[in-house]
Amino acid sequence: RIGNNRMKIIQVTDLHLVTPGDQLHGLDPFRTLEACLADIRANHSDAEFCIITGDLAHNGEPAAYRALHSILETLPIPYHLLLGNHDRRVTYGEVFNRMPRDEGGFFQSVIHHKHGDFILLDTLSEGENAGAYCASRCAWLSAQLRVARGKPIYLFMHHPPFEIGIPSVDRIALKEPETFGRLLEGHRIEHLFFGHVHRPACGNWRGISWSTMRGLNHQVPFDLKTVSPVPKSHEPPAYAVIFIEERQVTVHFHDFLDKRTLVKRGESFEYA
């Protein structure tokens, strides 16, 4: 069990759901989500909540959102959803009509917890793959940061607000990252979590630790040359198990479909 001084949360990202039964890039995203949630139910029912960081539906399909709403009801823990560039705000809102919005109609909210404030951002810019964080959203975030002053803050968003060295992803990151970065100055941002990249990566930006991971359907290969289009791969999906305690964030990436065990046979090792 998780003690009083440590909390566990789950991050899942980039579901890219289509109409159940259909495939995307040669894979079935809904079946992979089913396997992911089954693994979470079996092993992490003690988590505080699950956050899914965007690209819920590949083309904003109503059927995909309805199927997602139905299957998420099987989770034994609360869930919170973010929007990515593949989502459609109006269609999503019609299905998930109880999700909190800010005054500008953006799906942004704060989870207040004894371990800190978990701030969920909406970086969707309708009609384009790059993300945006307009003046209205900046004003909302500034207000939340003022309220949380002195408390640990954990930010969740879909688009990275900086380049990570993969050209095909960097060209569709958050626009005007300097404006966003200045907004965070002087606040106790403990960690930044995002999706969009479809690769496991971590680092430090402006003194803030960050992490991202593979998505649930297709991945982006480690291609440091291609600019467009974004290449795809069938590397295994993963979700993150995150432990948060005083002055420490630990992020584990779990390849939940890999059930193989490495065993020794004679003088060599092989997967059983």
Side-chain angles (χ1 to χ4, degrees), residues 120-197:
L120 315 184
L121 307 182
D122 181 342
T123 60
L124 169 60
S125 178
E126 297 275 6
E128 58 183 332
N129 286 321
Y133 211 67
C134 61
S136 172
R137 283 174 277 191
C138 283
W140 179 88
L141 178 55
S142 293
Q144 310 315 312
L145 294 174
R146 287 194 299 272
V147 169
R149 183 171 294 279
K151 296 174 61 178
I153 299 168
Y154 305 90
L155 290 179
F156 289 79
M157 58 200 299
H158 181 69
H159 294 83
F162 46 79
E163 295 184 352
I164 65 167
I166 299 178
S168 62
V169 175
D170 288 344
R171 69 179 177 82
I172 56 173
L174 189 75
K175 295 182 291 186
E176 300 183 7
E178 287 301 313
T179 300
F180 182 80
R182 286 194 297 270
L183 199 62
L184 307 181
E185 292 177 356
H187 297 280
R188 188 180 167 187
I189 313 296
E190 297 287 341
H191 198 84
L192 169 61
F193 303 88
F194 55 86
H196 195 53
V197 176

Side-chain angles (χ1 to χ4, degrees), residues 49-123:
F49 47 78
C50 174
I51 298 181
I52 304 180
T53 46
D55 278 357
L56 310 173
H58 188 65
N59 290 308
E61 302 95 326
Y65 289 130
R66 288 194 295 268
L68 177 60
H69 187 278
S70 178
I71 195 172
L72 285 178
E73 295 304 304
T74 68
L75 267 183
I77 58 176
Y79 63 85
H80 305 273
L81 307 179
L82 278 64
L83 297 182
N85 48 290
H86 282 265
D87 291 306
R88 297 296 177 265
R89 195 174 283 112
V90 171
T91 309
Y92 166 80
E94 290 172 348
V95 176
F96 291 91
N97 52 29
R98 295 185 179 181
M99 287 298 179
R101 304 180 189 229
D102 66 12
E103 296 83 355
F106 297 103
F107 287 96
Q108 305 198 118
S109 60
V110 183
I111 305 167
H112 299 287
H113 192 277
K114 67 179 182 180
H115 284 280
D117 282 1
F118 296 79
I119 303 180
L120 315 184
L121 307 182
D122 181 342
T123 60

Side-chain angles (χ1 to χ4, degrees), residues 210-230:
W210 59 265
S211 59
T212 187
M213 61 180 173
R214 293 194 294 268
L216 276 204
N217 191 62
H218 54 283
Q219 314 308 330
V220 173
F222 192 57
D223 181 342
L224 304 182
K225 295 181 179 179
T226 302
V227 175
S228 181
V230 178

